[in-house]
Amino acid sequence: MEHVSFNMNWLESEIYIAASATLYFGLLTLMTVRVVLKRKPIGVSLAWLFLMFAVPLAGMIGYFIFGELNLGAKRSKQRKLHSNTFLTWIQEQAVACKQSKELISENAHAMQSFVESYTNMPMVKGNQHTLLTTTDDILLELTKEIKNAKKHCYLMFYICNQGGLVDQLLTELKLAASRGVDCRLLLDSVGSHDFFKSKLPVQLRKSGVKVVEALPVGAFRLLFQRQDLRLHRKLVCIDDHFAYTGSMNLVDPAYFNVDKGVGEWVDLMVRCEGPIVQHMQGLFLWDWSLETEEDLCLPQANKTLFCIAGDENSQLIPSGPEFGKVGIHQVLLTAIYEAKYSLVLTTPYFVPDESLLTALQVAAMRGVDVKIILPAKNDSVMVKYASRAFFEDLLKANVEIHQFYGGLLHSKSIVIDEKIALIGTVNLDLRSFWLNFEMTMLIDNPRFAGELLTAQMHYTLASNQLTLEKWQKRPFFKRLLEGFLYLFSPLL
């Protein structure tokens, strides 16, 4: 009996091994076929396949959770329900102050046409843009405008962190709601995790502020929607007169991430007045409707609302999974290729794909003065080293790389030929291009572009410029780490 039992155990063990191997290789084959059939960018597909074969279980689970775009049933339903309404509104309302082609700068023609073709958002005239370059000034101005609000205060941010001047702003928001102003606060679930765990949401709601958690995460939700699609937009609309966007979250840098060792975050915002405010307000209400399932009530223009405020052209560029696959990535490529003699970029997270890297190299090689300004210290170690894997190729093409030592440079801006400005929430990485819900302003005005360029040049004063000779002398282990993390750059 013992002999039979031994044989049975041995046989059962063989069957178990064979079944496990069949299941393992079957799952791996199915996941490989799925990745191939999805036809993602080649670098992204290869990175996922590398991860699946290197660490199969973790790779397959990771792909299941993060590998494919899935907005979730609620957002997908709302998008289908209201997309025609939103499109009709753009075509009928948002064109009231559309700028004619001949009055748009030649440098901006290609970008303007592309944006209008995939979002239907036109470039509009009659705007006034004011650049705000210090975080204290930004928070104090927002607080003042909320205090004076008569109709509504709409705020949308990735991060809300209490402390310092933010507390004062939130107090004014509660007071505004208590006097009948329609106050809405839309915050990303992941970015504002600590905020939603605090007592502040309850206090704000008791005062009449409508607080909504965008794209909530959770273990159960893994089955129904992708968890790393984030609402990364920063937008404030006060009544029908002012709107703000840029790189700054609802945080006071003196109280935010002070233990990270990277210094205070340095940001830019732009205050917008004129017809462009209608578009920005419409984008907020679109996002609000997607998240809350409320009816989409878009702002209608008349003689007293969204009227002419200046002589500047601007175009709102919303981007994200709901606006198609190409979006802001193509806009940035177009901006680089349109540059004739100068191109200055600032970003905290720089992990370009091959097409963006090549565009920057080609621009520098054809004589464009290309400057990239990045923070010397980064709050993401993986991004820090993955980013540095691109430096040598850029330096060899005569691209200037400036490392900013005045804090974590968080502003996201581009100035083309000192005439055209792009400012908003988009980082130069694949997450911003393909996954996040983002927004950018294309401003066609030499005066504003000059102001933004001046701010960028001030960043260089607190920066060290890298040289190819010095960069090539970095230690071998850093080169190895950069090369390893470069393999995962499409997934960062």
Side-chain angles (χ1 to χ4, degrees), residues 32-191:
T32 300
V33 170
R34 187 174 183 88
V35 171
V36 171
L37 290 179
K38 286 296 178 179
R39 294 186 64 192
K40 296 174 179 292
I42 293 173
V44 175
S45 296
L46 289 176
W48 276 118
L49 291 173
F50 174 80
L51 190 62
M52 286 180 193
F53 281 89
V55 224
L57 184 60
M60 287 188 279
I61 292 174
Y63 183 81
F64 177 73
I65 298 173
F66 303 115
E68 296 178 8
L69 290 176
N70 184 357
L71 292 174
K74 183 176 74 173
R75 270 188 166 253
S76 296
K77 177 185 175 182
Q78 283 294 99
R79 179 187 174 192
K80 291 178 182 177
L81 184 64
H82 293 306
S83 58
N84 285 336
T85 302
F86 191 65
L87 180 60
T88 301
W89 171 77
I90 293 173
Q91 293 172 338
E92 295 179 356
Q93 282 287 323
V95 297
C97 293
K98 181 177 179 179
Q99 183 59 286
S100 58
K101 193 82 172 180
E102 60 270 17
L103 295 178
I104 298 173
S105 299
E106 185 179 349
N107 298 63
H109 278 170
M111 285 181 284
Q112 174 269 324
S113 297
F114 173 74
V115 171
E116 191 168 344
S117 71
Y118 91 89
T119 68
N120 290 285
M121 286 285 188
M123 179 170 281
V124 291
K125 59 186 176 182
N127 304 295
Q128 177 69 33
H129 303 93
T130 305
L131 188 65
L132 304 173
T133 59
T134 63
T135 51
D136 283 2
D137 288 345
I138 294 166
L139 289 170
L140 289 171
E141 179 162 330
L142 290 176
T143 302
K144 181 191 73 173
E145 295 299 347
I146 292 170
K147 184 176 182 178
N148 295 329
K150 301 292 190 294
K151 186 178 177 182
H152 61 246
C153 298
Y154 299 154
L155 292 85
M156 172 165 54
F157 287 96
Y158 176 62
I159 302 173
C160 179
N161 183 77
Q162 57 185 316
L165 293 175
V166 171
D167 292 346
Q168 186 179 335
L169 184 150
L170 293 175
T171 297
E172 287 298 340
L173 194 63
K174 289 188 284 187
L175 292 173
S178 65
R179 66 175 186 267
V181 177
D182 179 14
C183 295
R184 307 185 194 186
L185 185 59
L186 181 62
L187 302 171
D188 183 79
S189 176
V190 173

Side-chain angles (χ1 to χ4, degrees), residues 217-423:
V217 297
F220 181 69
R221 294 177 186 274
L222 287 173
L223 301 174
F224 304 103
Q225 68 184 59
R226 183 166 175 168
Q227 297 291 279
D228 63 338
L229 301 179
R230 304 303 349 138
L231 183 69
H232 198 242
R233 293 171 182 150
K234 289 91 174 168
L235 175 61
V236 177
C237 299
I238 307 294
D239 292 341
D240 300 308
H241 309 302
F242 310 112
Y244 299 79
T245 190
S247 63
M248 185 173 170
N249 289 291
L250 194 53
V251 303
D252 185 332
Y255 293 81
F256 178 65
N257 279 354
V258 293
D259 58 341
K260 294 286 187 179
V262 296
E264 293 187 6
W265 288 32
V266 178
D267 282 288
L268 292 173
M269 294 288 274
V270 56
R271 169 188 170 122
C272 305
E273 303 170 67
I276 194 65
V277 174
Q278 182 190 21
H279 301 191
M280 299 169 78
Q281 195 181 119
L283 181 62
F284 176 91
L285 293 170
W286 165 258
D287 281 324
W288 184 267
S289 174
L290 288 184
E291 200 57 54
T292 63
E293 298 184 89
E294 294 180 9
D295 288 339
L296 182 60
C297 299
L298 294 164
Q300 305 299 303
N302 60 45
K303 292 182 179 179
T304 60
L305 301 178
F306 315 115
C307 50
I308 299 295
D311 60 355
E312 299 174 3
N313 300 330
S314 56
Q315 188 172 28
L316 176 62
I317 311 175
S319 58
E322 86 273 49
F323 283 100
K325 293 183 178 180
V326 284
I328 194 63
H329 181 257
Q330 187 61 46
V331 173
L332 294 174
L333 283 174
T334 305
I336 296 168
Y337 282 117
E338 284 294 309
K340 301 294 189 296
Y341 59 87
S342 71
L343 182 71
V344 185
L345 307 91
T346 68
T347 180
Y349 310 112
F350 179 73
V351 189
D353 66 350
E354 288 298 322
S355 59
L356 194 61
L357 177 67
T358 301
L360 290 167
Q361 291 173 297
V362 169
M365 292 168 70
R366 61 184 169 85
V368 178
D369 180 14
V370 181
K371 292 181 172 66
I372 302 175
I373 310 170
L374 308 170
K377 297 180 180 179
N378 203 296
D379 60 338
S380 170
V381 175
M382 291 185 70
V383 169
K384 171 184 174 181
Y385 284 101
S387 173
R388 293 179 177 186
F390 301 95
F391 285 3
E392 188 163 334
D393 289 339
L394 290 167
L395 291 169
K396 285 180 177 177
N398 293 320
V399 173
E400 291 184 18
I401 299 175
H402 299 260
Q403 292 188 306
F404 179 78
Y405 283 88
L408 195 153
L409 181 61
H410 192 249
S411 65
K412 306 107 185 328
S413 64
I414 300 176
V415 175
I416 306 146
D417 293 342
E418 304 177 12
K419 298 176 183 176
I420 310 297
L422 289 164
I423 183 170

